[in-house]
Amino acid sequence: MIMRIGKTVWVRFIVLISLIITFVFISCRSVPDPNAEDTQFIESKPETEKVVPQSDTADEQSIVPQNSVYEFSDTMKSDSYPQLSNRAIERIILDTIPGSFLPVTNDNGRLKIIYSDLDQNGYRDAFLLVVKNRENLDAGFSNLSDVSQLLKNERQPVDFFLSVFLQLKGGMISMFRIPIGSSVVISDFRKVSIKGGSDLPLGISISFQTVKGTDREWIIFSSYNRFSLFSMAENISTYSDSYDIDGDNIVDIIDWEDGLEEGTGYETYLTWYRWNGREYREYSSTNIVRNLNGFLEQSRLYLSFEQMDEFFRHGLSSGDYEVYRNSGESYSDWLKKIFRFVPDGSYEKDELEDCKKFRSILFPQVLENPYSPGNKSLHICNINVRFVCSDGYSYIRTARIQMNPNPFRKPQFSFYLE
């Protein structure tokens, strides 16, 4: 009896162990392999993109992170997808823009778009303005650029954004929605070439008209997923100019700012912003009025002490000075090239060489900037100079002072020879 009971218990024990082993085996087969699932998911995505799309429900003030939006491989440059037409691009964009925004349109109702290949994959990408939607808002560019809006007391600023869409795999993908700011009147929306002969960096310029002047915003893309912002202004005391001043084939930005300076009067300060590969950063600065007065005073001293070689070295541009050294002409010949008869002819026609010795030379004191910004080639001003001889006789002559096209380079000023 005892042996029968033991045998029965043993049989049940073996059956129980078998059931446990079977259950564990079946359970292991029913749990998905995490690695296998991940591999399948990655392979199901396009090999050329890892996309974190911009959410239409996201706060419109936010910007898609620049360093984690798109990564493209070289296979994007294949010609397997046809180039989308303008109308096809517009249709896709209109289907993508959420209702909380309105696209800015031309007079013909078409979207106001700037095209450029930002991601360098051979397909045109789209840059367009959108505004925050509100009741009865007309998003036509003609309406938004109507300067008469500035005169209305009930004017309400409009929130502007730059939307960027990349053309990829036969479609358009929203890349950025960049807040630009609020304004009553927009005046300009255009593409800016930063580096000659190159699509990158790419600049998009948006200008707004204000009561005081013009505000300009540059959005500069150094690559498809990196951009920087630069603000400029034009009003009664500030002006921003943009051109290549150092000959490196890259556009520079020069700010002119007027202000009061004790002992000088109205001074003009120049600031040079230079492209460093990622953004525009301040590179150098100088001033005009104080430096121009210093140039004239040093010229007066050289002439007063008859240090003629020093005068010409100081007063002429490097190119003109080399011509002077190799010309073989006399000092008086070159002085007549610099100091000419006053154009109206009301002063004496006597020659400067008739003056045996100068008792004094009077240059004017410059109290404000005589140069106007915006002239990218020549900045020239005229001055009158009085030469008083030892016998008391005086001569009035006029001279032209040129500011270096790159005012941050020495010499900043020189006498201009026609």
Side-chain angles (χ1 to χ4, degrees):
M1 183 67 178
I2 295 175
M3 291 181 62
R4 181 179 299 175
I5 293 174
K7 184 176 181 180
T8 301
V9 172
W10 176 253
V11 170
R12 291 179 178 178
F13 176 77
I14 293 174
V15 172
L16 179 60
I17 293 300
S18 300
L19 289 174
I20 292 173
I21 293 173
T22 302
F23 177 78
V24 171
F25 178 77
I26 294 174
S27 299
C28 291
R29 288 177 58 86
S30 64
V31 175
D33 182 358
N35 296 328
E37 183 181 21
D38 286 347
T39 303
Q40 183 179 6
F41 175 72
I42 292 174
E43 290 177 350
S44 67
K45 296 179 65 179
E47 295 179 358
T48 60
E49 61 169 322
K50 297 178 183 178
V51 180
V52 181
Q54 178 174 320
S55 172
D56 292 337
T57 60
D59 183 358
E60 59 271 8
Q61 295 296 329
S62 63
I63 300 175
V64 177
Q66 301 177 25
N67 58 355
S68 61
V69 180
Y70 287 98
E71 295 178 4
F72 299 126
S73 69
D74 292 337
T75 57
M76 288 189 59
K77 297 182 179 180
S78 67
D79 297 327
S80 56
Y81 293 88
Q83 187 80 245
L84 292 174
S85 67
N86 291 358
R87 290 192 178 274
I89 290 175
E90 292 183 42
R91 184 171 57 253
I92 295 173
I93 290 176
L94 286 172
D95 291 339
T96 305
I97 296 176
S100 56
F101 295 91
L102 290 176
V104 177
T105 58
N106 292 310
D107 292 339
N108 59 6
R110 301 282 297 274
L111 298 185
K112 194 172 185 62
I113 295 180
I114 293 173
Y115 292 103
S116 186
D117 185 8
L118 178 60
D119 52 18
Q120 301 290 285
N121 68 343
Y123 296 89
R124 293 180 308 153
D125 305 312
F127 303 79
L128 67 149
L129 290 173
V130 298
V131 296
K132 187 68 182 301
N133 196 1
R134 67 168 185 252
E135 187 176 0
N136 298 324
L137 177 62
D138 180 358
F141 190 83
S142 295
N143 177 66
L144 296 173
S145 60
D146 183 4
V147 293
S148 66
Q149 297 292 328
L150 294 173
L151 305 177
K152 298 179 179 179
N153 294 328
E154 68 277 9
R155 65 184 184 273
Q156 186 176 357
V158 178
D159 297 327
F160 288 87
F161 302 79
L162 178 68
S163 281
V164 181
F165 286 79
L166 299 185
Q167 186 173 169
L168 175 65
K169 299 292 187 181
M172 302 297 295
I173 298 178
S174 179
M175 180 72 172
F176 296 111
R177 188 184 300 127
I178 306 171
I180 304 169
S182 299
S183 183
V184 177
V185 176
I186 185 172
S187 57
D188 188 34
F189 174 57
R190 61 186 176 88
K191 177 180 176 180
V192 177
S193 177
I194 304 297
K195 184 177 182 180
S198 176
D199 293 332
L200 290 177
L202 167 68
I204 301 295
S205 175
I206 304 101
S207 299
F208 299 101
Q209 189 67 43
T210 68
V211 175
K212 296 182 179 180
T214 302
D215 293 334
R216 188 159 69 249
E217 298 290 337
W218 276 15
I219 303 175
I220 310 106
F221 297 87
S222 55
S223 66
Y224 69 90
N225 65 347
R226 182 184 296 115
F227 65 88
S228 60
L229 307 176
F230 193 90
S231 300
M232 291 172 271
E234 182 177 350
N235 50 53
I236 194 171
S237 62
T238 303
Y239 182 86
S240 295
D241 209 353
S242 55
Y243 60 99
D244 178 14
I245 68 171
D246 57 355
D248 64 352
N249 205 33
I250 299 176
V251 170
D252 303 286
I253 298 175
I254 301 91
D255 273 356
W256 298 56
E257 185 174 1
D258 296 330
L260 283 172
E261 183 175 86
E262 185 177 355
T264 299
Y266 285 95
E267 180 60 277
T268 297
Y269 304 93
L270 302 180
T271 305
W272 177 7
Y273 296 90
R274 197 178 189 189
W275 180 253
N276 65 4
R278 296 173 61 94
E279 61 184 341
Y280 277 99
R281 297 293 299 271
E282 182 176 338
Y283 181 74
S284 184
S285 61
T286 189
N287 59 74
I288 293 179
V289 177
R290 188 177 350 120
N291 290 353
L292 179 55
N293 280 321
F295 169 79
L296 296 177
E297 174 61 15
Q298 188 61 58
S299 299
R300 186 192 69 81
L301 290 174
Y302 284 139
L303 285 174
S304 298
F305 290 97
E306 298 183 356
Q307 296 176 310
M308 305 309 292
D309 284 331
E310 289 80 357
F311 168 76
F312 289 120
R313 184 184 299 109
H314 165 77
L316 297 178
S317 66
S318 57
D320 286 339
Y321 180 69
E322 287 300 317
V323 174
Y324 154 75
R325 290 185 59 189
N326 299 321
S327 67
E329 296 179 86
S330 65
Y331 294 149
S332 59
D333 290 334
W334 278 83
L335 286 177
K336 285 189 289 187
K337 294 180 181 180
I338 296 175
F339 302 106
R340 293 179 290 272
F341 292 108
V342 177
D344 62 12
S346 60
Y347 295 101
E348 301 87 347
K349 296 295 184 180
D350 298 327
E351 299 294 345
L352 282 178
E353 58 262 30
D354 295 337
C355 187
K356 302 303 180 182
K357 184 175 179 61
F358 296 126
R359 186 172 70 186
S360 64
I361 302 173
L362 302 177
F363 282 86
Q365 177 73 20
V366 180
L367 299 178
E368 62 181 3
N369 173 26
Y371 303 103
S372 299
N375 189 340
K376 301 176 178 59
S377 56
L378 291 177
H379 292 283
I380 297 176
C381 72
N382 296 323
I383 63 169
N384 286 339
V385 184
R386 178 182 292 273
F387 296 87
V388 181
C389 300
S390 57
D391 59 3
Y393 197 81
S394 65
Y395 301 86
I396 301 297
R397 293 292 183 267
T398 185
R400 308 186 74 186
I401 312 298
Q402 178 181 1
M403 185 167 67
N404 195 322
N406 182 353
F408 306 91
R409 180 181 298 165
K410 302 297 183 181
Q412 183 177 0
F413 301 100
S414 60
F415 289 103
Y416 180 72
L417 305 179
E418 294 189 39

